[in-house]
Amino acid sequence: MKLKPVLQILLAFAIVAFGYLAYQSIMKPIKFGEIQKERYAKIVDQLQDIRKAQNAYKEVNKKYTGSFDTLISFIKTDSMPMIKSIGSLTDEQIEAGMTEREAVVKGFITRDTIMVSALETTFGNNYDIENLRYVPFTKEQSEFKMAAGVVVTGSNVTVQVFEAKVSNMVIFADIRDEYLDELKEENGNRIRINKYPGLKVGSLEEANNGAGNWE
């Protein structure tokens, strides 16, 4: 009979511990999902900016680059052609249904090609282009892996391609131990459906027009 209070205390502790573990088993995946959503959103923005920079580089150089040094230097120091329209449609011309193209043909509007800063054209002058290479949320300033090349399509057309990516193991490196089970499940699900276990824009294996694997 003297053991009864002790057993009651132990049972109470067991109930609390079980409840905590059950709570954790429910909340951990939810918390990981919230962290993943926040980080993915920021990294997707960065990958979209890499795509913009690559497209600007290709417009001038007719190919992509696999070097962040080259890409960043281009955006910082080079220029891009921009078509400037001189003149505009009058109210009478608009009411008459004239298009801008017709106005150009008839000489009411002229167009001239001018050279504009690649940084201003692509992002605006206040954009921090130096950080383009770095993966957000990584303490050691991990860089995206980037490469460029060519692929030959089924119709024997040679297409310039690039790829920039970062794995989930890098994205969640600082919380890897805490959410290892959730991370393994996420990677496993992606691998089973033949998707890259992380975030990626472009492809070195197919001409996908710089599509992101989140699109």
Side-chain angles (χ1 to χ4, degrees):
M1 295 294 292
K2 293 181 179 179
L3 293 176
K4 189 174 181 181
V6 175
L7 291 174
Q8 289 177 333
I9 293 172
L10 291 175
L11 180 60
F13 274 119
I15 292 171
V16 170
F18 178 79
Y20 175 77
L21 291 173
Y23 175 81
Q24 284 292 92
S25 68
I26 295 172
M27 293 306 298
K28 273 191 72 178
I30 294 175
K31 182 62 177 176
F32 178 76
E34 293 172 350
I35 295 171
Q36 182 183 34
K37 183 178 179 181
E38 178 188 9
R39 296 192 179 191
Y40 269 22
K42 182 68 175 177
I43 293 169
V44 163
D45 285 344
Q46 193 92 336
L47 286 170
Q48 289 174 330
D49 286 348
I50 291 173
R51 178 167 60 193
K52 286 181 185 177
Q54 284 280 18
N55 287 337
Y57 182 89
K58 181 175 179 287
E59 185 176 337
V60 172
N61 297 283
K62 310 307 177 187
K63 64 179 181 179
Y64 296 112
T65 176
S67 166
F68 272 113
D69 288 338
T70 301
L71 186 61
I72 291 170
S73 177
F74 165 79
I75 296 294
K76 283 175 61 178
T77 64
D78 218 322
S79 299
M80 296 180 62
M82 184 178 76
I83 297 176
K84 180 181 180 181
S85 293
I86 301 173
S88 59
L89 291 169
T90 64
D91 292 339
E92 290 80 5
Q93 290 168 339
I94 294 173
E95 290 176 2
M98 182 180 292
T99 65
E100 187 171 314
R101 179 178 293 181
E102 291 171 336
V104 170
V105 172
K106 293 181 179 180
F108 297 121
I109 295 176
T110 60
R111 288 177 174 169
D112 189 20
T113 301
I114 60 175
M115 299 304 290
V116 181
S117 158
L119 179 61
E120 179 183 352
T121 302
T122 309
F123 298 110
N125 287 326
N126 294 325
Y127 186 84
D128 186 6
I129 191 63
E130 293 291 350
N131 283 322
L132 186 68
R133 69 175 78 218
Y134 298 121
V135 182
F137 300 103
T138 55
K139 293 181 180 179
E140 298 178 0
Q141 287 194 312
S142 298
E143 295 188 15
F144 291 97
K145 291 183 177 180
M146 189 171 72
V150 296
V151 297
V152 180
T153 67
S155 54
N156 286 325
V157 176
T158 300
V159 180
Q160 297 288 331
V161 295
F162 82 95
E163 178 181 275
K165 63 184 180 180
V166 56
S167 71
N168 281 330
M169 287 300 182
V170 173
I171 295 172
F172 303 107
D174 59 320
I175 58 172
R176 189 185 307 167
D177 293 339
E178 184 179 357
Y179 293 99
L180 187 58
D181 290 340
E182 288 75 19
L183 189 51
K184 285 182 177 179
E185 182 178 359
E186 172 68 17
N187 285 346
N189 289 338
R190 284 176 172 264
I191 291 170
R192 276 192 291 274
I193 58 175
N194 200 29
K195 284 194 173 182
Y196 177 68
L199 290 171
K200 181 176 77 165
V201 65
S203 173
L204 296 179
E205 299 174 356
E206 61 177 339
N208 70 354
N209 201 30
N213 68 341
W214 63 89
E215 295 175 316

